[in-house]
Amino acid sequence: MQLLDGKVLAKAIKAELKEQVAGYLAQGRRKPHLCAILVGEDGASKTYVASKARDCDELGMDSSVLHFPADIRQEELLAEIEKVNNNPAIDGLIVQMPVPKHIDSLLVMNTIDPSKDVDGFHPVNVGKMFKGLPTYLPATPYGIMMMLERYQIETAGKHCVVIGRSDIVGKPMAALLMQNTYPGNCTVTICHSRTADLAEHCRRADIVIAALGKPGFVKADMVKEGAVVIDVGITRVDADNERGYVIKGDVEFDEVAPKSSFITPVPGGVGLMTRIGLLQNTLNAYKVHEGIQ
Ligand code: GUN
């Protein structure tokens, strides 16, 4: 069993991105800039947005957080998005999800300028991704693709089971892994809450990607000997510690790890690669806006 170490990999890729940014600044260019919009006071969302800003800072990129109250009117939020769309100093915009119920998240995603949509959530970018055209890939699947590539994991002809069909992870992950690229060329099965005999599908998988958000769902008897196991889960579970919670993955790590050839830990796995995906997208957006390459 080998650990797919998000910490080590994220650190290495961050160093590369930092060097690229420094190179652009040395040419007299402006800094890349990521803007995050946060609506309301959700604890996890605040943590994610803060870590994205910290990551930008570490790489020598600018970032800004626009924090609005949970009762902001939808039109007002859309107007704020338009302001960012029209600001030439900003390369990437993310609106942290979920947004409050009175706000139509689809409308929010559709309002972001596709050239600044570093989440890859705009339908135009989703379509481009599906066709294999250059675009911004959703950060988590993008991070997982980088992880598979850097660890040189064989994917061609492999059977990959993705558990979860979300727009953010499951669907794009399946689309990317079935493409005629490396990583890719997998035979992909998507399982979800209505799948019959889910465990049976999993047992046939060479690569399991667990992205359903149920702590400890994937057990040892669901995994084939030698499988590659990627755990996307990051559920906060109440615990008797200082923070009041621990982060749990979708995979029962202790029992699955001995059967797997490669496995991601939680924390320290996919979560860190998601942050890299977003940073890479922001730098890609900057290059588009600066006319680099
Ligand atoms: N909420 C959970 N994941 C994401 C993400 O990737 N992007 C945004 N904007 N919100 C999220």
Side-chain angles (χ1 to χ4, degrees):
M1 184 274 290
Q2 194 186 341
L3 213 56
L4 296 170
D5 193 331
K7 241 188 216 167
V8 169
L9 204 48
K11 194 174 168 201
I13 298 176
K14 270 186 178 174
E16 293 170 20
L17 297 179
K18 188 174 176 175
E19 200 177 311
Q20 280 187 51
V21 172
Y24 296 131
L25 298 188
Q27 294 170 3
R29 295 180 188 272
R30 66 179 175 83
K31 286 183 173 184
H33 185 150
L34 173 68
C35 175
I37 291 182
L38 176 64
V39 183
E41 306 296 331
D42 179 67
S45 291
K46 278 183 170 175
T47 306
Y48 295 149
V49 167
S51 61
K52 288 163 187 173
R54 218 175 326 113
D55 286 341
C56 287
D57 197 43
E58 210 182 305
L59 264 57
M61 311 202 307
D62 274 336
S63 69
S64 47
V65 178
L66 305 178
H67 190 180
F68 300 109
D71 62 358
I72 187 174
R73 283 181 18 257
Q74 179 167 284
E75 304 89 276
E76 202 183 327
L77 180 61
L78 298 180
E80 293 291 344
I81 292 172
E82 288 293 359
K83 273 193 223 166
V84 176
N85 286 346
N86 295 325
N87 183 343
I90 297 177
D91 298 291
L93 168 61
I94 61 166
V95 178
Q96 185 64 36
M97 299 290 166
V99 287
K101 283 195 170 53
H102 69 281
I103 290 169
D104 179 352
S105 59
L106 210 58
L107 190 54
V108 165
M109 291 175 205
N110 289 1
T111 304
I112 297 172
D113 177 342
S115 90
K116 298 194 177 187
D117 169 39
V118 287
D119 264 328
F121 291 170
H122 191 288
V124 164
N125 289 330
V126 175
K128 285 184 178 176
M129 180 217 41
F130 233 83
K131 286 179 71 73
L133 298 171
T135 185
Y136 308 116
L137 306 178
T140 298
Y142 193 12
I144 292 170
M145 294 294 270
M146 289 190 227
M147 199 171 221
L148 294 171
E149 187 181 6
R150 299 272 176 146
Y151 275 91
Q152 299 182 318
I153 290 175
E154 264 186 67
T155 57
K158 302 294 181 192
H159 182 200
C160 177
V161 169
V162 179
I163 315 173
R165 55 176 154 185
S166 70
D167 287 340
I168 296 181
V169 183
K171 284 186 208 168
M173 191 75 254
L176 292 171
L177 283 171
M178 76 170 89
Q179 286 189 141
N180 185 7
T181 55
Y182 176 75
N185 282 309
C186 290
T187 302
V188 180
T189 300
I190 302 194
C191 294
H192 48 75
S193 53
R194 304 297 292 270
T195 298
D197 298 328
L198 191 148
E200 197 52 45
H201 288 290
C202 280
R203 276 191 284 274
R204 282 196 289 269
D206 303 305
I207 302 171
V208 178
I209 300 190
L212 70 161
K214 285 200 175 154
F217 180 86
V218 177
K219 305 279 198 291
D221 66 357
M222 295 164 67
V223 175
K224 182 164 77 177
E225 197 71 45
V228 175
V229 180
I230 309 281
D231 189 348
V232 184
I234 41 160
T235 308
R236 289 184 176 195
V237 175
D238 290 343
D240 197 11
N241 63 10
E242 215 171 86
R243 288 198 290 189
Y245 66 89
V246 288
I247 301 290
K248 283 275 183 200
D250 289 346
V251 176
E252 204 61 76
F253 183 90
D254 290 346
E255 58 179 78
V256 173
K259 288 186 83 176
S260 60
S261 55
F262 294 90
I263 187 167
T264 61
V266 175
V270 171
L272 297 172
M273 295 308 295
T274 295
R275 286 161 61 177
I276 296 297
L278 178 65
L279 291 167
Q280 181 71 66
N281 276 340
T282 304
L283 194 56
N284 293 348
Y286 169 78
K287 289 194 215 172
V288 168
H289 296 132
E290 283 287 290
I292 298 167
Q293 278 174 1

